[in-house]
Structures are given as C-alpha cells and as structure tokens.
Coordinates of all heavy atoms in Angstrom, one line a residue:
A1 N 3.5 -7.9 -3.1 CA 4.9 -8.2 -3.7 C 5.8 -7.0 -3.6 O 7.0 -7.2 -3.6 CB 4.7 -8.6 -5.2
V2 N 5.2 -5.8 -3.5 CA 6.1 -4.6 -3.4 C 6.0 -3.9 -2.1 O 6.8 -3.0 -1.8 CB 5.7 -3.6 -4.5 CG1 6.0 -4.3 -5.9 CG2 4.3 -3.1 -4.5
A3 N 5.0 -4.2 -1.3 CA 4.7 -3.5 0.0 C 4.1 -4.4 1.0 O 3.6 -5.4 0.7 CB 3.8 -2.3 -0.3
S4 N 4.2 -3.9 2.3 CA 3.5 -4.6 3.4 C 2.1 -4.1 3.6 O 1.9 -2.9 3.7 CB 4.4 -4.4 4.6 OG 3.6 -4.9 5.7
L5 N 1.2 -5.0 3.6 CA -0.2 -4.7 3.9 C -0.5 -5.3 5.3 O -1.6 -5.7 5.5 CB -1.2 -5.2 2.9 CG -1.7 -4.3 1.8 CD1 -2.5 -5.0 0.8 CD2 -2.4 -3.1 2.3
A6 N 0.4 -5.3 6.2 CA 0.3 -5.9 7.4 C -0.5 -5.2 8.4 O -1.2 -5.8 9.3 CB 1.7 -6.2 8.0
S7 N -0.6 -3.9 8.4 CA -1.3 -3.1 9.4 C -2.8 -3.3 9.1 O -3.3 -3.3 8.0 CB -1.0 -1.6 9.4 OG -1.7 -0.9 8.4
S8 N -3.6 -3.3 10.2 CA -5.0 -3.5 10.1 C -5.6 -2.2 9.4 O -6.6 -2.4 8.7 CB -5.7 -3.7 11.5 OG -5.4 -2.6 12.3
L9 N -5.1 -1.1 9.6 CA -5.6 0.1 9.0 C -5.4 0.0 7.5 O -6.4 0.3 6.7 CB -4.8 1.4 9.5 CG -5.2 2.7 8.7 CD1 -6.6 3.1 8.9 CD2 -4.2 3.8 9.2
A10 N -4.2 -0.3 7.0 CA -4.0 -0.5 5.6 C -4.9 -1.5 4.9 O -5.5 -1.3 3.9 CB -2.5 -0.9 5.3
C11 N -5.1 -2.6 5.6 CA -6.1 -3.6 5.1 C -7.5 -3.1 5.0 O -8.2 -3.4 4.0 CB -6.0 -4.9 6.0 SG -4.5 -5.8 5.8
R12 N -7.9 -2.4 6.1 CA -9.3 -1.8 6.0 C -9.5 -0.8 4.9 O -10.5 -0.9 4.1 CB -9.6 -1.1 7.4 CG -10.1 -2.0 8.5 CD -10.7 -1.3 9.6 NE -10.0 -0.1 10.1 CZ -9.0 -0.2 11.0 NH1 -8.6 -1.4 11.4 NH2 -8.4 0.8 11.4
L13 N -8.5 0.1 4.7 CA -8.6 1.1 3.7 C -8.5 0.4 2.3 O -9.3 0.8 1.4 CB -7.5 2.1 3.8 CG -7.6 3.0 5.1 CD1 -6.5 4.0 5.1 CD2 -8.9 3.7 5.1
A14 N -7.7 -0.6 2.1 CA -7.6 -1.3 0.8 C -8.9 -2.0 0.5 O -9.4 -1.9 -0.6 CB -6.4 -2.2 0.8
A15 N -9.4 -2.7 1.5 CA -10.7 -3.4 1.3 C -11.8 -2.5 0.9 O -12.7 -2.8 0.1 CB -11.0 -4.2 2.5
H16 N -11.8 -1.3 1.5 CA -12.9 -0.3 1.3 C -12.8 0.4 0.0 O -13.8 0.6 -0.7 CB -13.0 0.7 2.5 CG -14.2 1.5 2.5 ND1 -15.4 1.1 3.0 CD2 -14.4 2.8 2.0 CE1 -16.3 2.1 2.8 NE2 -15.7 3.1 2.2
F17 N -11.6 0.8 -0.4 CA -11.4 1.7 -1.5 C -10.8 1.1 -2.8 O -10.9 1.8 -3.8 CB -10.6 2.9 -1.1 CG -11.2 3.8 -0.1 CD1 -10.8 3.8 1.2 CD2 -12.3 4.6 -0.5 CE1 -11.4 4.6 2.1 CE2 -12.9 5.5 0.5 CZ -12.5 5.5 1.8
W18 N -10.3 -0.1 -2.7 CA -9.7 -0.7 -3.9 C -10.6 -1.7 -4.6 O -11.3 -2.4 -3.8 CB -8.4 -1.4 -3.6 CG -7.3 -0.4 -3.3 CD1 -7.2 0.9 -3.5 CD2 -6.0 -0.8 -2.8 NE1 -6.0 1.4 -3.1 CE2 -5.2 0.4 -2.7 CE3 -5.4 -2.0 -2.4 CZ2 -3.9 0.4 -2.2 CZ3 -4.1 -2.0 -1.9 CH2 -3.4 -0.8 -1.8
P19 N -10.7 -1.7 -5.9 CA -10.0 -0.8 -6.8 C -10.7 0.6 -6.7 O -11.9 0.7 -6.6 CB -10.3 -1.4 -8.2 CG -11.3 -2.5 -8.0 CD -11.5 -2.8 -6.6
G20 N -9.8 1.6 -6.9 CA -10.3 2.9 -6.8 C -9.2 4.0 -6.6 O -8.0 3.6 -6.6
P21 N -9.6 5.2 -6.4 CA -8.6 6.3 -6.4 C -8.0 6.6 -5.1 O -7.9 7.8 -4.7 CB -9.5 7.5 -6.9 CG -10.8 7.2 -6.4 CD -11.0 5.7 -6.5
L22 N -7.6 5.6 -4.3 CA -6.8 5.8 -3.1 C -5.4 5.2 -3.3 O -5.3 4.0 -3.6 CB -7.5 5.1 -1.9 CG -6.8 5.3 -0.6 CD1 -6.9 6.7 -0.1 CD2 -7.3 4.3 0.4
T23 N -4.4 6.1 -3.1 CA -3.1 5.6 -3.0 C -2.6 5.5 -1.6 O -2.8 6.4 -0.8 CB -2.1 6.6 -3.8 OG1 -2.6 6.7 -5.2 CG2 -0.7 6.2 -3.7
L24 N -2.1 4.3 -1.2 CA -1.6 4.1 0.1 C -0.1 4.2 0.1 O 0.6 3.6 -0.8 CB -2.1 2.8 0.7 CG -3.6 2.7 0.9 CD1 -3.9 1.2 1.4 CD2 -4.0 3.7 2.0
V25 N 0.5 4.8 1.1 CA 2.0 4.9 1.2 C 2.2 3.8 2.3 O 1.8 3.9 3.5 CB 2.5 6.2 1.6 CG1 4.0 6.2 1.9 CG2 2.1 7.2 0.5
L26 N 2.9 2.7 1.9 CA 3.1 1.5 2.7 C 4.6 1.2 2.9 O 5.4 1.7 2.1 CB 2.4 0.4 2.0 CG 0.9 0.5 1.8 CD1 0.5 -0.6 0.8 CD2 0.2 0.4 3.1
P27 N 4.9 0.4 3.9 CA 6.3 0.0 4.0 C 6.7 -0.8 2.8 O 6.0 -1.7 2.3 CB 6.3 -0.9 5.2 CG 5.1 -0.5 6.0 CD 4.1 0.0 5.0
A28 N 7.8 -0.4 2.2 CA 8.3 -1.1 0.9 C 9.0 -2.4 1.2 O 9.6 -2.5 2.2 CB 9.3 -0.1 0.2
R29 N 8.8 -3.3 0.3 CA 9.5 -4.6 0.4 C 11.0 -4.3 0.0 O 11.3 -3.4 -0.8 CB 9.0 -5.6 -0.6 CG 7.6 -6.0 -0.2 CD 7.6 -7.1 0.8 NE 6.2 -7.6 1.1 CZ 5.8 -7.9 2.3 NH1 6.6 -7.9 3.3 NH2 4.6 -8.3 2.5
A30 N 11.9 -5.1 0.5 CA 13.3 -4.9 0.2 C 13.5 -5.2 -1.3 O 12.8 -6.0 -1.9 CB 14.1 -5.9 1.0
G31 N 14.4 -4.5 -1.9 CA 14.8 -4.7 -3.3 C 14.1 -3.9 -4.3 O 14.4 -4.0 -5.5
L32 N 13.2 -3.0 -3.9 CA 12.6 -2.1 -4.8 C 13.6 -1.1 -5.3 O 14.5 -0.7 -4.6 CB 11.4 -1.4 -4.2 CG 10.1 -2.2 -4.0 CD1 9.0 -1.3 -3.4 CD2 9.7 -2.9 -5.3
H33 N 13.5 -0.7 -6.5 CA 14.4 0.3 -7.1 C 14.3 1.6 -6.3 O 13.2 2.1 -6.0 CB 14.1 0.5 -8.6 CG 15.2 1.2 -9.3 ND1 15.4 2.6 -9.2 CD2 16.1 0.8 -10.2 CE1 16.4 2.9 -9.9 NE2 16.9 1.9 -10.5
P34 N 15.4 2.3 -6.1 CA 15.4 3.6 -5.3 C 14.5 4.7 -5.9 O 14.0 5.5 -5.2 CB 16.8 4.0 -5.2 CG 17.6 2.8 -5.5 CD 16.8 1.9 -6.4
L35 N 14.3 4.6 -7.3 CA 13.4 5.6 -7.9 C 12.0 5.4 -7.5 O 11.2 6.4 -7.4 CB 13.5 5.5 -9.4 CG 14.8 6.0 -10.0 CD1 14.8 5.8 -11.5 CD2 15.1 7.5 -9.7
V36 N 11.6 4.2 -7.1 CA 10.2 4.0 -6.7 C 10.0 4.4 -5.2 O 8.9 4.9 -4.9 CB 9.9 2.5 -6.9 CG1 8.5 2.1 -6.3 CG2 10.0 2.1 -8.3
T37 N 11.0 4.3 -4.4 CA 10.9 4.7 -3.0 C 11.6 6.0 -2.7 O 11.5 6.5 -1.5 CB 11.6 3.6 -2.1 OG1 13.0 3.6 -2.5 CG2 11.0 2.2 -2.4

C-alpha cells in the first residue's frame, strides 16, 4: 500500500527476512507524505 515490491530482489529479501530486522528502501507509492519520503 505504501511501496512497490515489484522487483524480484525485494520480493526475495522480504520473503527471507520478514518479519524481522530488515528495512528495505523501496520505490514509494504516490501520495505518501513528504516527511516519510
């Protein structure tokens, strides 16, 4: 809802480490508040 998980790399890392202590920097969806991005 807030980011694109379209890349195969992002999907692999998310599947492997989430839930858990990995933060991914992903392409933001339009409309997010500028303080978040």
Side-chain angles (χ1 to χ4, degrees):
V2 297
S4 171
L5 259 176
S7 86
S8 61
L9 173 64
C11 289
R12 278 194 311 279
L13 294 177
H16 189 83
F17 292 107
W18 287 351
L22 179 72
T23 299
L24 293 176
V25 177
L26 301 167
R29 295 278 181 214
L32 287 182
H33 195 285
L35 288 176
V36 174
T37 63

